[in-house]
Amino acid sequence: MRQYYKPPKRIGKYAVLCFVLLSAATASAILGFELKKSVFYALTLAFIFFSVQIFTVYILSNYEYGLDENIFSIYRTVGKRRKCIYDLDLNYASSLMYYKDAKQYIKEKGKPKRRFCCLCGCPKRKSAVLFYQTDMSFALYFAPNDAFFDAVKSYIR
């Protein structure tokens, strides 16, 4: 049975950050024009670059989680384009737990080599963590609801 979950987007703080970065870019451009310093123009370009990056990663894109038998998939949608970014077999997953329990797990088992986050703007403390212990250990942070968490947990041995 195929299940999907699309977490709600929380983009308020990222929208404010984009606005602040664009305001700083404008102020930097004005200072560069007034003081005739090229450093301010480079700073303006950096502020614009970071603002565009935050906009495309956190505001424009959206994540969707899918579960088909024992395959856990994460899709990123940007506009009408939908791309599968993770396709994981749950047979190789070692454990799934909420973030507060994962801290203790990391202290006992050691820090994973890699960490991936697909949170849709949700705070990390409200996320779930899926641990894999294959040739390279990694942890996947995602933000499911309780029903989807239980469905994924049922496939982990």
Side-chain angles (χ1 to χ4, degrees):
M1 184 172 127
R2 185 172 284 191
Q3 293 180 333
Y4 286 102
Y5 176 66
K6 187 176 182 179
K9 286 180 77 167
R10 296 188 173 109
I11 58 171
K13 64 181 176 184
Y14 300 113
V16 169
L17 185 60
C18 279
F19 179 74
V20 168
L21 285 173
L22 288 176
S23 299
T26 304
S28 178
I30 291 170
L31 281 174
F33 182 74
E34 292 292 323
L35 300 176
K36 306 281 193 255
K37 300 283 182 177
S38 61
V39 171
F40 289 109
Y41 293 125
L43 195 59
T44 299
L45 290 175
F47 284 141
I48 290 172
F49 172 75
F50 288 128
S51 177
V52 167
Q53 185 177 8
I54 288 170
F55 181 76
T56 56
V57 171
Y58 294 106
I59 296 175
L60 206 60
S61 64
N62 195 9
Y63 293 102
E64 183 177 320
Y65 310 130
L67 183 64
D68 187 16
E69 293 300 318
N70 61 345
I71 304 296
F72 177 66
S73 304
I74 297 180
Y75 299 95
R76 182 185 315 175
T77 56
V78 178
K80 292 184 178 182
R81 196 179 86 198
R82 184 173 185 231
K83 182 179 178 184
C84 181
I85 56 174
Y86 291 112
D87 202 12
L88 304 170
D89 189 357
L90 292 177
N91 290 329
Y92 299 107
S94 61
S95 65
L96 173 69
M97 57 192 68
Y98 285 110
Y99 180 73
K100 60 185 175 198
D101 302 328
K103 285 180 163 182
Q104 183 64 28
Y105 181 85
I106 289 173
K107 285 180 184 176
E108 293 172 3
K109 301 281 185 178
K111 194 173 184 180
K113 299 281 184 197
R114 300 250 189 228
R115 289 179 294 172
F116 304 104
C117 296
C118 298
L119 296 173
C120 293
C122 295
K124 195 182 258 190
R125 68 181 182 276
K126 293 185 179 181
S127 67
V129 185
L130 181 62
F131 289 100
Y132 270 78
Q133 296 293 336
T134 55
D135 56 345
M136 181 178 66
S137 63
F138 70 91
L140 173 68
Y141 294 80
F142 66 106
N145 62 358
D146 291 333
F148 193 78
F149 179 84
D150 293 335
V152 173
K153 185 121 175 131
S154 68
Y155 287 105
I156 297 174
R157 295 184 230 154

